Amino acid sequence: MPAGGHPPGEVGLTPASTDASAAVIRGREIVVRYQRGGAAAVDGVDIDLAPGQGLVVTGGRGSGKSSLLRAVMGLAGPGGDTTVFGARPGSPDALRRIGWAPQSWPFTYGVRTGEALRMVAALKGYGPEEAARAMDEAGFTAPAKFAPLLEIEEARQASLACALIGTPDLLVLDDPWEFTQTDTAIRRALDRGAAVLVASSDPGGLSGILGVSITLKDGRRA
Amino acid sequence: MSPTSALSIISSVEFRAIIRRRWFLISIAVGAALIVTGTIFAGGRAGIPRSDALRAWTLAVEVIGGLVVSACLGASVANRDADGGWFGLQVATGTTRAVVTLGRVLGRVLVLVATFAVWMALAWLCGLLIGNGSDWPLIVTGFAGIGNMLVVLTVAALCSVALGPVSSGVMGVLAYIFSLALVNMSSAAEADVIGTSWSGLISSLYFIFPRGIVSPLVADLQARDVAGLAAPRVEVNGNIVFIQPASWATVIWTLGWCVLLALAAAGAMRRRALS
């Protein structure tokens, strides 16, 4: 049995929502639209995630995986009835408990990657040493590089380091690459009782670690 | 993390990021080169024309360069970084969108002030070099220019929540033109050189919207018409209109508008989808 305590390869979710107060994520009828009246990127998806539980969202390009994660983060407003740590998605209290690894490292000019990670640490109330620790844990070794100059692999490691700052109660990893460090970080998080939500079109071995998976197609559960 | 600490962290990161960008460094350098060129040009003259020449060149840099820098700064507050993930990364730390937006605006205000500080310091040094002495009226004009450019920056910032960078920048520049036009037309109305039917409308607009901040030096250069495009003489219906320097009430009113616009941008970001 994997560290998260879930049988590998299980598809679909057990109804973790029976105790809503303990739920890390309780999403009902999640809808994400980027334009008013436009097509829904996510359309009526339910998800539940409890402490110590892992969930991988799979699906092809444009299936709504990243949008679903953005909805959980409150970055793209979720319609429906959704709570994260008992609060609405995007509330500062909920976000402070989440380690967020964006799909692509922000392509902004003029900011060294190390500076960006130290900024994330500082905004979460940690010192620069915590950013350094997270970089080390993620195997990221190019903090002096500006974002546009990062190799793809380095960008994915920077993204993972971003999520590992502090001791988040929920890891949200958007399309992580399957580094050894990724596997280790997910196992450690599950071991300490944190929940892990991953979106990936090709989760590979991550499915075995996370246990539970759902598949999206055209914004809906397949 | 208190909002003020978060504001400080985000504004300092934004400040450092922008002052490294190529467009910004080029803008500063071109402005500085033009001031030096103006100094060489002014050095070939004597007396008041020498002083006027350096002032005109410096003013031209502050107006044209200031518009470019402030429009670019304001136009980049939201749109590209909201779509590119940088804004989302800042929000994902648990910092409210309002604080992130205000931090980004504050960082850009600091860049604008730093830009003017470089140009003003250079013009002051150049003035000393050619024997003009310390030109304090030019320094005061620089501060007035910062006030005017804050209108450009904050209008562009608000527009950047919904519009693209170019459109946002253009809106900022239009707001600057509008604020100066209000001052000019208000002075024309006071001088009775426009129809009374327009006077009421102009007065109403003048008392509602942000107003251009005209320094005593600019008012003097306009009246003498010696600064070319940097401070053109105002003529309405064939009559010369003498523009009065801005009062402190106008300065406070315009800066108050800038604060309101920044807060409006922060409020408008609440519902903006982020990557």
Side-chain angles (χ1 to χ4, degrees):
Chain A
M1 173 125 359
H6 308 287
E10 181 183 333
V11 176
L13 287 173
T14 51
S17 58
T18 48
D19 182 6
S21 62
V24 174
I25 301 172
R26 184 178 183 280
R28 293 289 174 274
E29 292 292 316
I30 297 175
V31 177
V32 176
R33 287 181 206 281
Y34 290 105
Q35 289 180 332
R36 191 173 294 175
V42 178
D43 191 4
V45 174
D46 295 350
I47 58 168
D48 289 286
L49 200 57
Q53 192 176 21
L55 170 64
V56 59
V57 184
T58 64
R61 183 184 287 266
S63 59
K65 305 182 301 294
S66 293
S67 295
L68 181 63
L69 265 56
R70 284 182 202 138
V72 168
M73 295 296 296
L75 299 176
D81 178 20
T82 303
T83 59
V84 179
F85 295 114
R88 63 177 173 75
S91 73
D93 287 341
L95 287 173
R96 283 189 201 104
R97 299 176 66 181
I98 301 174
W100 162 243
Q103 185 177 22
S104 55
W105 186 247
F107 197 78
T108 190
Y109 291 93
V111 183
R112 295 184 193 280
T113 310
E115 287 176 337
L117 290 167
R118 283 191 289 275
M119 175 199 73
V120 171
L123 289 173
K124 287 190 160 188
Y126 296 98
E129 64 284 352
E130 177 58 20
R133 187 205 59 75
M135 284 187 259
D136 189 46
E137 190 178 341
F140 178 64
T141 55
K145 276 191 178 179
F146 291 105
L149 302 178
L150 290 175
E151 303 292 335
I152 296 175
E153 186 175 332
E154 291 172 334
R156 306 309 303 149
Q157 289 169 329
S159 193
L160 178 63
C162 183
L164 299 181
I165 289 171
T167 48
D169 296 319
L170 168 62
L171 279 182
V172 179
L173 313 179
D174 193 354
D175 198 20
W177 278 19
E178 206 183 342
F179 302 117
T180 307
Q181 291 88 346
T182 314
D183 293 359
T184 305
I186 291 173
R187 286 180 198 279
R188 280 183 185 163
L190 293 171
D191 282 346
R192 69 166 188 269
V196 180
L197 175 62
V198 170
S200 176
S201 55
D202 182 17
L206 294 180
S207 292
I209 302 171
L210 293 163
V212 184
S213 68
I214 62 171
T215 303
L216 296 186
K217 185 178 181 187
D218 298 331
R220 293 174 173 271
R221 288 280 290 270
Chain B
M1 175 64 54
S2 69
T4 47
S5 300
L7 203 64
S8 161
I9 291 166
I10 291 172
S11 59
S12 64
V13 168
E14 292 294 321
F15 179 86
R16 282 203 303 273
I18 294 167
I19 60 172
R20 289 170 179 157
R21 289 181 189 164
R22 197 172 298 160
W23 71 264
F24 173 75
L25 295 171
I26 290 172
S27 300
I28 286 262
V30 169
L34 286 172
I35 290 172
V36 171
T37 306
T39 307
I40 295 166
F41 178 75
R45 300 178 170 206
I48 292 175
R50 181 173 62 190
S51 172
D52 285 344
L54 180 57
R55 287 169 164 182
W57 277 79
T58 306
L59 272 178
V61 168
E62 288 179 355
V63 171
I64 297 169
L67 281 173
V68 170
V69 170
S70 56
C72 290
L73 289 173
S76 63
V77 165
N79 43 47
R80 279 193 177 155
D81 283 344
D83 295 334
W86 179 238
F87 201 115
L89 192 75
Q90 293 170 327
V91 168
T93 59
T95 311
T96 64
R97 289 179 178 220
V99 170
V100 171
T101 309
L102 291 175
R104 294 171 63 82
V105 171
L106 180 60
R108 283 159 174 76
V109 169
L110 295 175
V111 172
L112 179 67
V113 171
T115 304
F116 269 72
V118 169
W119 290 339
M120 284 156 63
L122 183 62
W124 182 73
L125 272 175
C126 288
L128 286 178
L129 281 175
I130 62 172
N132 280 355
S134 294
D135 196 343
W136 295 113
L138 192 57
I139 300 290
V140 171
T141 300
F143 283 113
I146 291 173
N148 288 327
M149 295 312 152
L150 283 176
V151 174
V152 180
L153 192 156
T154 50
V155 167
L158 176 57
C159 292
S160 75
V161 176
L163 303 178
V166 176
S167 305
S168 303
V170 169
M171 293 299 287
V173 173
L174 288 177
Y176 169 77
I177 293 168
F178 181 74
S179 69
L180 276 188
L182 274 185
V183 172
N184 293 347
M185 295 308 287
S186 176
S187 296
E190 282 179 17
D192 289 330
V193 296
I194 57 173
T196 50
S197 57
W198 285 101
S199 298
L201 174 65
I202 288 165
S203 296
S204 303
L205 296 175
Y206 181 82
F207 284 107
I208 293 172
F209 289 106
R211 308 160 194 160
I213 301 172
V214 178
S215 71
L217 172 63
V218 169
D220 172 61
L221 293 173
Q222 281 185 317
R224 293 192 289 121
D225 198 19
V226 291
L229 287 174
R233 173 176 276 178
V234 178
E235 290 188 25
V236 177
N237 295 331
N239 299 295
I240 296 170
V241 177
F242 293 99
I243 308 298
Q244 296 300 311
S247 62
W248 277 109
T250 286
V251 174
I252 292 166
W253 184 256
T254 299
L255 294 181
W257 257 100
C258 294
V259 172
L260 269 180
L261 287 162
L263 291 173
M269 278 307 291
R270 276 189 314 165
R271 298 180 68 83
R272 173 75 148 82
L274 302 172
S275 289

